[in-house]
Structures are given as structure tokens and as C-alpha cells.
Amino acid sequence: MQTMQQRVVRPAQRVASVRMAAPVRRTAVRVAATATVEKSSSSGAKPGAGRIYNFSAGPAILPLDVLEEAQRDLVNYKGTGMSIMEMSHRGKEYEAVIKKAEDDLRKLLNIPSNYKVLFLQGGASTQFSMIPMNLTAEGDVTDYVVTGAWSKKALEEGQKYTKANVAAKGDNKSIPPVSSWKLSPDSKYVHYCDNETIGGVEFKSVPDVGGRVLISDMSSNFISKPVDVSKYGIIYAGAQKNVGPSGVTIAIVRDDLIGKARPSTPVMLDYKIHAENDSMYNTPPCWAIYVCGLVFAKLLKEGGLEAVQKNNEAKAKIIYDAIADSNGFYANPVDPAARSLMNVPFTIPSSADLEKAFIKEAEKLGMVQLKGHRSVGGMRASIYNAMPLEGVQALAKFMREFAAKHAAK
Ligand code: PMP
């Protein structure tokens, strides 16, 4: 098994920083043998099992106890003599796994009985086209609210199939007030993204769309807080941020929206097919669903989503406070009313070189994947459910020390 010391931090992709004229390529950085969290133990940070604090936006950190449970089951699942990865999805063991995962998710989110829970493939990106294919006919009107890069991508797919109206467009830093949205009288649905993973812009309440079918991409804040599912037509999320491994996408779909797919819809993109077959029309992503199930069970045991939200609020405050207390050394562009609890982008406005140094030094202290998305540069701390409080405290401590050292005197 790969130890932390052997782990190689992924070379950065080409970065088109907003401040840099030319893209820069960073060479692969090998985390030195000493670059463990133990080294930063002055902050009390010790995630255990030789692990480091991973601030990746996704695939992202998973709870250590879930990983350990999966590890225990990996070779021999509960005495069956085989791994979940090796067993038929039609067998009684696996059927129990997927059923429990669904039951636990239903409990966590209090999902009403007139909603189907579907475990799908193709990522959240596939939902961008699956939604219009299933909910509209040629020539139908839809409404899209664009608050960042992901809702824009959803819109672009929606435009291929429908007369997609941009009901509101944000500035990537805030959410246009719902009262200003220009919703169409006859739209088949209103689509928005509850948490923009790149911009760090998050809705704090369910928008009132006047009885229209509301659809939300919750990929990066799914099960981070309680949600009133009954206000939605569809909620969907790729698993690889807050829930489990990549490979499974969860869609919670209201019954009356199922069974209306266009005749040309591929069978694998028809909600009805997946609903009728309990997400087992074809081979599901068995392992990914199994790990999601472990996460659901853990969150239920730990007090459900109210407790999760409280933790997330406390963690986010620690990072936002470190930014606010820095006298402008760090900047977060987002309107305080829309700041994400999950993804905190920040920059060092005075110097792109200092940003590079920040990321490098943090890596040496065992805090990785802090580089901002390649489209915006800077830094981004993704602090999903599984990021422990200690990880956030360690980052904030480092931020404060780094600012004290480098702020212009
Ligand atoms: N929506 C949001 C909000 C996302 O953050 C992402 C992935 N970063 C996607 C959609 C696309 O997800 P996937 O990679 O699973 O297709």
C-alpha cells in the first residue's frame, strides 16, 4: 500500500491564472519524507494513519473510519469470501447494500415517499442533458439561473434541447435576488446550482420559483445541511465531493417527472428505466454505492444533517475569519451572504508569487490540493463534511502565520 511518504502530489494542470499573462506549468512536487502532518504538530494536527489534510475539491477527502471499514471489507465482505467489487449486483448481499444505502439516505434527507432515489453513472455532467431529455419536448421553454461555471455548463446543455431562458445571471460572486429573476410563465423547470464549487457561491435558502419545478445541482454541498426535498422536482449530485468515491451520481426525482422522456432518449438516460429497475437496469457502480452507504450510516449515527451543518458552519467560520483578520492580505471575493461552507476560494492580491509560496509551504506541512481552480487561480480550500475541524484549524493557523511573515510592513 502506498504510504503518505511515497505519495506524489499530482502535477498541476496548466494554470491560466487571472493575473498571469501566460499559463505556467508547475513541475511535480514530491512530498518530502518530512512533509507529514506530524511536522505541523505544533498546530495539534494529526489526522492519523499517516494521512495528510486533503483540501481537494473532488474527488475529495473521505472519513477515515469509513475508509478503514471499507478496507476491512475489501477482501472478504462480511464472511462472503469475496469483495463487494467481485460479487454480482443481483446477489442478496449486494441487494442489501444498495437498499440500505437508499434507506439511510432517505432518513438523512427525510425524502418523501413520492420521490425516487436513483444511483446513476456519467457524473453530474450527464444530468445536465438527462434533465431536459426527460422533462421536456422539442420547443419547450426552461429557465436557468447562472451563478457560476457549473450552472453555466448546465445551461449550455439545456440550450441544446430547449428554449433555455437565462432567468438570472450572477457575477460569480453573489446570487441575484430571487425577486429579480425573470422566470418564464410556461417554463418546464427552473435549474440552479446550490453551491458553485469553483466560485464558492452558495444558496442559503430554497429559491421560491412560484410553483415551477425546481431543479438543483447539489454536487458540492449534498448532505452538508438539511434540505426540504419536497420543494424540489429533482436534486442531483455527483458523489465524489461530500459523499463517496467518483463513479456514482445520485438523483432524487419526484415521481410525476418520471416517464416523460423524449422517444429519442437513450435507454441509459431515461429516469423511468432506472426507477423501474431500482437503479439496477445495468451493472451499477457497486463499490461507489457501497462506500456512499457507509458515509450515510455514519452521518445518521452521528446525529444527522443538523449536526453536520453545525460542524460545517463552525469550520467555514474559522477560514473566513482568518481571511477577514488578515487586513487585506487574503481576499475572498464572495458576498458574505452567499459564501460557501464547502469551498472557500481566496487570493493574496498583492502577489501571485506569494500564492505559489503559500501552496508550496502548505504542502510541506501536509495540507494539499489548495491550488485554486485552473480557471481562476489563487487558492481554494474545500472543506467538505469529512474534513476534520483540526484540518481547518491547521490551515487557519498556517494562514495567519504566513500573513504575519509576508504582509508588507
Ligand atoms: N456540478 C458541480 C457543482 C460540480 O462541482 C461538478 C464537478 N466539479 C459537476 C457538476 C460535474 O460533476 P461530474 O464531474 O461528476 O460530472
Side-chain angles (χ1 to χ4, degrees):
M1 221 194 193
Q2 202 182 37
T3 65
M4 209 293 301
Q5 281 78 6
Q6 290 164 327
R7 185 181 170 129
V8 176
V9 173
R10 193 161 47 95
Q13 295 118 316
R14 266 186 177 268
V15 175
S17 164
V18 280
R19 273 192 300 271
M20 292 176 205
V24 278
R25 183 180 288 283
R26 210 182 69 192
T27 50
V29 178
R30 181 173 282 275
V31 176
T34 49
T36 63
V37 173
E38 277 71 21
K39 178 132 185 263
S40 69
S41 58
S42 62
S43 65
K46 282 204 179 191
R51 283 165 59 78
I52 50 180
Y53 289 124
N54 169 14
F55 292 91
S56 166
I61 187 169
L62 285 169
L64 180 57
D65 50 357
V66 163
L67 292 176
E68 286 172 341
E69 188 173 349
Q71 187 178 39
R72 282 195 295 277
D73 282 350
L74 183 72
V75 173
N76 184 351
Y77 177 71
K78 306 211 186 305
T80 56
M82 58 181 143
S83 173
I84 288 277
M85 282 186 257
E86 301 170 298
M87 60 178 61
S88 166
H89 57 294
R90 308 280 177 208
K92 66 176 182 345
E93 287 86 8
Y94 192 72
E95 278 188 5
V97 166
I98 193 168
K99 179 164 185 330
K100 180 158 168 33
E102 177 177 340
D103 289 349
D104 283 352
L105 179 60
R106 283 186 177 278
K107 279 185 215 147
L108 260 185
L109 273 170
N110 201 12
I111 300 175
S113 59
N114 62 324
Y115 285 75
K116 291 280 184 301
V117 172
L118 305 177
F119 295 104
L120 306 171
Q121 298 185 63
S125 302
T126 296
Q127 293 307 302
F128 297 164
S129 46
M130 199 160 165
I131 289 162
M133 280 182 191
N134 278 267
L135 270 61
T136 67
E138 190 78 41
D140 277 348
V141 175
T142 54
D143 284 319
Y144 282 80
V145 175
V146 178
T147 51
W150 291 108
S151 44
K152 183 164 175 281
K153 285 199 171 176
L155 164 72
E156 284 160 3
E157 283 298 275
Q159 284 169 330
K160 292 183 188 166
Y161 300 94
T162 67
K163 288 185 185 146
N165 165 46
V166 180
K169 192 165 177 340
D171 53 4
N172 294 326
K173 298 181 207 143
S174 62
I175 294 169
V178 181
S179 57
S180 73
W181 294 6
K182 304 244 176 320
L183 298 171
S184 316
D186 53 350
S187 62
K188 291 289 173 185
Y189 59 79
V190 182
H191 180 283
Y192 81 101
C193 178
D194 207 57
N195 184 65
E196 284 286 356
T197 320
I198 297 173
V201 173
E202 182 172 24
F203 280 71
K204 301 297 169 187
S205 57
V206 185
D208 178 357
V209 291
R212 293 170 183 82
V213 173
L214 184 61
I215 299 184
S216 185
D217 175 359
M218 294 196 187
S219 291
S220 48
N221 65 352
F222 191 63
I223 60 168
S224 69
K225 59 182 179 183
V227 167
D228 183 352
V229 175
S230 73
K231 297 225 165 98
Y232 292 88
I234 300 176
I235 291 171
Y236 66 93
Q240 68 273 16
K241 294 158 195 304
N242 233 350
V243 193
S246 59
V248 61
T249 304
I250 296 165
I252 301 168
V253 187
R254 209 173 65 205
D255 280 345
D256 61 294
L257 303 174
I258 297 175
K260 296 177 183 160
R262 297 179 185 205
S264 60
T265 303
V267 70
M268 279 299 291
L269 299 185
D270 186 341
Y271 287 131
K272 182 162 177 269
I273 298 292
H274 295 286
E276 283 176 351
N277 291 281
D278 295 326
S279 303
M280 296 232 246
Y281 170 72
N282 73 326
T283 316
C286 299
W287 175 258
I289 294 170
Y290 154 76
V291 178
C292 291
L294 297 183
V295 171
F296 299 149
K298 172 189 166 71
L299 297 184
L300 275 178
K301 208 168 75 193
E302 292 175 355
L305 297 185
E306 281 83 7
V308 169
Q309 182 177 27
K310 241 173 101 193
N311 278 340
N312 286 332
E313 283 167 355
K315 287 187 306 186
K317 181 171 186 313
I318 290 170
I319 304 291
Y320 287 115
D321 281 355
I323 295 169
D325 294 346
S326 73
N327 279 327
F329 183 80
Y330 300 110
N332 168 287
V334 181
D335 172 1
R339 281 185 179 160
S340 171
L341 297 186
M342 299 282 101
N343 311 96
V344 185
F346 57 101
T347 57
I348 299 176
S350 60
S351 162
D353 285 344
L354 277 179
E355 290 177 346
K356 278 192 230 156
F358 179 99
I359 292 163
K360 221 165 152 180
E361 280 182 37
E363 245 164 32
K364 285 197 192 137
L365 293 169
M367 292 177 275
V368 303
Q369 304 281 325
L370 281 162
K371 201 173 176 62
H373 189 270
R374 60 189 181 278
S375 62
V376 293
M379 283 81 70
R380 171 176 53 174
S382 294
I383 48 174
Y384 298 120
N385 289 355
M387 173 57 68
L389 177 67
E390 293 76 15
V392 166
Q393 285 168 334
L395 175 60
K397 179 173 184 286
F398 171 65
M399 287 171 72
R400 289 176 191 276
E401 286 167 0
F402 190 89
K405 196 162 131 197
H406 296 285
K409 299 283 179 307

